[in-house]
Amino acid sequence: MSETPGKQQNTAAFYGQAVASFAVAMAATAVGIYQLSADAWVRGFLAIAVLYLVTSSFTLAKVIRDRQEGPAVPSYTPFEKR
């Protein structure tokens, strides 16, 4: 008997937990930066650093997902004549 691999779906509970966890982490970080007893420029720098880290994490996760879901061998080479 052969099984065809299907696309694995996450449950709604797992998705909800991931979104809630992300929201709590971002809120806690924002409150921590806001309550930090430092100059405004230091808090601003930390806030920008956190936003950069978050966007970089999303991009990295997407690249890894695309590589895992994509074909094992590229269907063409960039310098191939058509």
Side-chain angles (χ1 to χ4, degrees):
M1 207 184 330
S2 67
E3 293 182 22
T4 57
K7 187 173 182 180
Q8 186 177 9
Q9 295 289 325
N10 293 326
T11 64
F14 180 77
Y15 179 78
Q17 186 267 335
V19 170
S21 175
F22 177 77
V24 168
M26 285 298 292
T29 303
V31 169
I33 290 173
Y34 179 75
Q35 294 293 328
L36 187 66
S37 56
D39 292 337
W41 72 268
V42 174
R43 291 193 308 258
F45 175 81
L46 291 174
I48 294 296
V50 167
L51 290 176
Y52 182 60
L53 181 61
V54 168
T55 58
S56 297
S57 298
F58 278 117
T59 303
L60 178 62
K62 183 188 177 313
V63 167
I64 291 171
R65 183 201 63 205
D66 290 348
R67 180 174 282 186
Q68 289 176 346
E69 291 179 353
V73 178
S75 59
Y76 72 97
T77 58
F79 302 108
E80 172 180 278
K81 290 185 180 179
R82 293 186 178 200

